[in-house]
Structures are given as C-alpha cells and as structure tokens.
Amino acid sequence: HLTLLSGISAHEPSELVVTVRAGTPIDVLEAALAAEGQHLAFEPPRLQTPGARGRGTVGGMVASGLSGPARMAAGSVRDHVLGVTMLDGRGELLSFGGQVMKNVAGYDVARMVTGSLGILGVICEVSLKVMPVPSYTSTLRFDCSEGEALDLMQRWAGQPLPVNATAWWQGALVVRLAGATAAVASANQKMGGEPIDNALAQRFWLG
C-alpha cells in the first residue's frame, strides 16, 4: 500500500530541490515547501475523490502528469521531475535521473514515467524542482466574448507582462499575474479589468 511509503526524504531549499516518497499527500509536501517560501510551480490539481479525502499523492501526481493553470508560464509536471525511483514488473528497484537539472545520459526515463499512469512501473520516490513563491499575485476579470478574450491574450503574449495563468469562465476571461510587486502593479494598471479579491481568487485557481 503506497500510502505507507510517505515522507520527505530530502529538501534543499537553497538548491530548489525536494525528494519525496510517492505515497506522500500533496498537501503535506506543499505545506513543507510553503514553510520555506517555495511551491510546486506547475500547480497540481486538487482532485476531490469520494473516499480519498481529497488528498492526492505525489506518486499519483507524477503518474497522471496533470498540471494546473500555471502550466502556460511554469511548464508541466514533466518539466519539474529530476529523478524517479521505481519498482518494475520483475520486482527490481530502479533509479533514473538525480537531483540536478543536467544529469541525463541516454533516455530520460524519469520524464517518460511522468504521465505513464504506472504502465512502466510503480513510482516509489521522486525528486522535483521547486520554485520560490512569487512575491506578489493579482487576479483580474474581463467581461468579454470568447473571441475578444483570444484577441486580448494574443495581444498580451507579445508584451513583457507577468501573466501566470488564464481561464475562460462563465462568459469572462480571468487572468492571474505573478512576479515582482512593481511589475504586477504596473501590469494591473496597463491591462485594466476588474480586480478580484485575493482570497476568492485563490479558491478559484485551486478549485
């Protein structure tokens, strides 16, 4: 039972790397990272499964390969996996990758395992690249048609704006900005839109 295989094996805040066992609940890992001002930049979905108390695990996160709304800016789960230890079909414990970005020789099996849904083996432990929490975030809402929303996003894509996530929701474009306080404040003024309260926005993006 993989929930017994839980816990953080190593965390090097200065190196932006954490090694964690597969059965560790995602919320436990995120709490440990938050204590150091860090987070999983790809924002794994918080799937509320009946009977599972909504506590997805790190192994499930990697095996499913699902990322959240910040994928457009931060990349996917695969982009943050540095190493994997797994149990293959013959009961052999195999390790791939490591704890630094430039450690791959030959096939990058650690990234192949990401999103494989367990087909290649049972994930036992993973090493992940983590990132500092942005110093400031804000969320803006724009009431517009879907076509107008696409035009806005294309226009913003060619500008140095700290756009971190976007969503089309109930007839409106919702945009999150993240980065240095001055950069986000300047973008708020430049882009316009309706500011959304941070607490409400946080529930929206994590929902």
Side-chain angles (χ1 to χ4, degrees):
H1 201 289
L2 287 180
T3 55
L4 299 177
L5 190 62
S6 65
I8 297 174
S9 304
H11 182 199
E12 299 293 339
S14 62
E15 299 296 329
L16 299 177
V17 173
V18 64
T19 299
V20 58
R21 299 183 184 96
T24 306
I26 295 173
D27 56 0
V28 171
L29 171 59
E30 290 186 315
L33 295 177
E36 298 290 343
Q38 299 176 343
H39 70 150
L40 299 171
F42 53 86
E43 292 184 321
R46 281 74 173 172
L47 302 178
Q48 299 296 325
T49 304
R53 295 175 295 173
R55 301 186 79 191
T57 64
V58 170
M61 173 188 78
V62 174
S64 66
L66 297 177
S67 304
R71 175 173 180 167
M72 61 169 290
S76 67
V77 182
R78 181 175 285 107
D79 298 317
H80 294 77
V81 173
L82 303 177
V84 169
T85 298
M86 57 182 282
L87 193 68
D88 71 5
R90 292 182 291 188
E92 297 179 357
L93 196 63
L94 308 175
S95 293
F96 303 97
Q99 294 186 349
V100 295
M101 289 304 296
K102 297 181 179 180
N103 58 12
V104 178
Y107 292 110
D108 193 348
V109 178
R111 294 193 178 191
M112 289 174 59
V113 170
T114 307
S116 68
L117 299 177
I119 293 175
L120 300 178
V122 177
I123 298 172
C124 298
E125 187 176 71
V126 297
S127 291
L128 300 164
K129 177 177 67 172
V130 300
M131 298 298 291
V133 174
S135 57
Y136 189 69
T137 62
S138 72
T139 296
L140 304 172
R141 174 192 169 101
F142 300 83
D143 290 313
C144 58
S145 68
E146 190 171 0
E148 290 171 334
L150 290 172
D151 289 340
L152 284 172
M153 289 188 289
Q154 290 176 351
R155 186 192 314 164
W156 293 332
Q159 301 179 37
L161 297 169
V163 176
N164 177 260
T166 61
W168 173 253
W169 182 70
Q170 295 187 356
L173 173 63
V174 184
V175 180
R176 182 174 62 195
L177 306 175
T181 302
V184 174
S186 175
N188 281 337
Q189 294 182 342
K190 185 174 184 179
M191 295 170 66
E194 175 191 354
I196 303 299
D197 177 75
N198 282 337
L200 179 61
Q202 182 76 349
R203 290 197 298 271
F204 171 79
W205 293 113
L206 297 182

